[in-house]
Each structure stands twice: as structure tokens, then as C-alpha cells.
Amino acid sequence: MSIQGMRPLAEYKTLVFDCDGVVLNSNQLKIQAYYDVAIKFGANKTQAQALVDHHVKFGGISRYPKFEYFLREIMQLTVTEQAMHDLLDSFTAEVKRLLTDCEISPYLHHVRNENKHAKWMIVSGGDQAELRDIFKQRGIDRMFDAGIYGSPDNKDTILARELDAGSIVKPALFIGDSRYDHQASTNAGLDFVFLSAWTDVEGWQDYCANHQITVFNHLGDLS
């Protein structure tokens, strides 16, 4: 575990969380959902795996450009509104089913109780309406009093917008598990920590070492 460059947690006025792999143990479930939706659409196993590989490579990115890539580059089809609608609807239904029962970080309430002074926010690549429904259903939506945000806006757009609106007050910490989480938070001027326990990023150890990123195993290590 590295703690280089991180302030004491009590100094942060805002904590920004990614969802998948941070709050929810859902990375592997999302991988399965991409594979199943591709097969249902008519892809063969090789094509479905190609979508999964693309998803993992671009962790933290919205599903919208991933399915556009799937249609255009993998399936060699025209990206139509109907095809995107079918894929997105199928994926949303599958994700809602899987995330209804997936594991919530067992340390979430402890960290919230230890940091009552800070505003909490979700900034995810997941669909915004879907996230809000799932968090409400799981009984954790009120913990994130600064808002729950996701696609179709990307993380760079969300962070810039919420900084301008004053919803993110610095010093702020972004807690993520992907390269894009690190890049987006750095671009926005937020401190960053990487959680490794549930990440699906290949070679995360080298990436974090090369960029001198603070690494923790899980949320419980923060406090």
C-alpha cells in the first residue's frame, strides 16, 4: 500500500466515488453483461469476447461509445438508432438484474460515519438513471448527498460541471479503480486513490507505480 501524495482523509471536503469496483463489486458482472448482450444481438463468441476486451481496455468509459464500437468495428454494421436502442435496452435490463444483488462494499457505512463532514458524490461511467434507481433500491442513495451522476455525460464533463456549480469543493478526493478515473480526476485537479481489490484493469500495478498513484486494497483502508 502506498500513501504518497494523499492528504489525511479528514482534510477533504468532497469525496468522489466511482461505482463499479469501488462501491459495488460489479466489474465482473458488467463483463458478463456485455458478453451476454453481444451474443443475444447475434454476435459469435469471438465477437462477444472482442466487445468484452474493448470494455475492459476502456474501463470507466460510458457504454454508449463501446456499443458504437461494437457495431461499427466488431460487427461491421452501420451504427443505427434502432441498433443502439436494442443494445442499450438489453444491457440496461441485464445490469439492473445483476446489480440488484451484487455485493456492496462492507466498509461503506464505516467510512461514511468517519467522514460525516465531507460531501459524497458518485461519478460513474454507468447510466445515470440506472445508478440512481439501483442506489435507491439498495438503500445507499442518501449517503451520496452531493449527487449521483453518470452517462451519457462522461466523467470529464461531469467533474467540470459539478466543480463550476460548487457541488465539488476542494480539497477533493476521487476514489476509483481505472486509468480513466485517474486521468479524469487529475484533469479536474482532484487528488486520486486507486482501489485494487475489485479492479479489472490489467497491469494496474505498473500503471500506478509509473504514475506514483496512491493505492489501497479497499475502502476500509481509507480511514
Side-chain angles (χ1 to χ4, degrees):
M1 180 180 71
S2 167
I3 57 173
Q4 180 176 354
M6 180 182 170
R7 308 165 190 256
L9 196 64
E11 292 185 11
Y12 290 106
K13 296 181 179 179
T14 312
L15 298 185
V16 180
F17 296 76
D18 178 42
C19 175
D20 299 313
V22 174
V23 175
L24 301 181
N25 185 7
S26 48
N27 279 330
Q28 294 305 313
L29 298 179
K30 287 280 184 77
I31 286 173
Q32 188 63 47
Y34 274 106
Y35 186 89
D36 291 345
V37 167
I39 293 293
K40 181 180 178 182
F41 185 80
N44 60 37
K45 292 181 179 179
T46 300
Q47 291 167 327
Q49 186 59 48
L51 174 59
V52 166
D53 293 343
H54 180 74
H55 160 65
V56 172
K57 181 178 180 180
F58 293 97
I61 302 295
S62 163
R63 66 194 62 175
Y64 294 83
K66 291 176 181 176
F67 280 125
E68 290 176 350
Y69 177 89
F70 169 70
L71 289 169
R72 185 178 58 250
E73 304 296 336
I74 297 174
M75 299 300 290
Q76 299 290 300
L77 297 172
T78 301
V79 179
T80 66
E81 184 176 342
Q82 185 60 53
M84 286 293 293
H85 181 270
D86 291 345
L87 287 165
L88 291 167
D89 275 5
S90 180
F91 188 76
T92 295
E94 187 68 10
V95 166
K96 282 187 175 180
R97 183 183 69 82
L98 293 170
L99 267 57
T100 296
D101 297 317
C102 76
E103 180 183 6
I104 299 171
S105 172
Y107 309 101
L108 191 64
H109 287 86
H110 172 73
V111 177
R112 175 78 273 191
N113 289 334
E114 292 292 313
N115 296 272
K116 294 178 181 179
H117 65 285
K119 295 291 186 180
W120 278 25
M121 178 182 291
I122 290 287
V123 176
S124 172
D127 181 80
Q128 180 168 289
E130 177 184 291
L131 287 168
R132 290 176 176 177
D133 286 345
I134 290 169
F135 274 52
K136 184 175 182 179
Q137 183 178 353
R138 303 298 301 270
I140 57 174
D141 56 321
R142 293 184 179 180
M143 300 176 74
F144 299 93
D145 50 352
I148 298 172
Y149 302 107
S151 63
D153 290 335
N154 63 38
K155 293 180 181 181
D156 292 283
T157 299
I158 295 168
L159 290 172
R161 183 189 70 216
E162 297 307 316
L163 280 164
D164 286 344
S167 299
I168 298 174
V169 180
K170 295 181 180 179
L173 176 68
F174 193 113
I175 304 161
D177 72 325
S178 72
R179 293 181 180 91
Y180 181 41
D181 290 339
H182 170 242
Q183 293 159 3
S185 60
T186 300
N187 290 340
L190 277 61
D191 290 351
F192 178 76
V193 296
F194 186 98
L195 298 190
S196 62
W198 293 337
T199 187
D200 58 5
V201 174
E202 295 182 2
W204 66 264
Q205 297 94 333
D206 290 340
Y207 181 85
C208 290
N210 291 338
H211 291 84
Q212 297 184 315
I213 297 172
T214 301
V215 177
F216 291 112
N217 187 35
H218 49 64
L219 284 177
D221 292 332
L222 287 174
S223 48

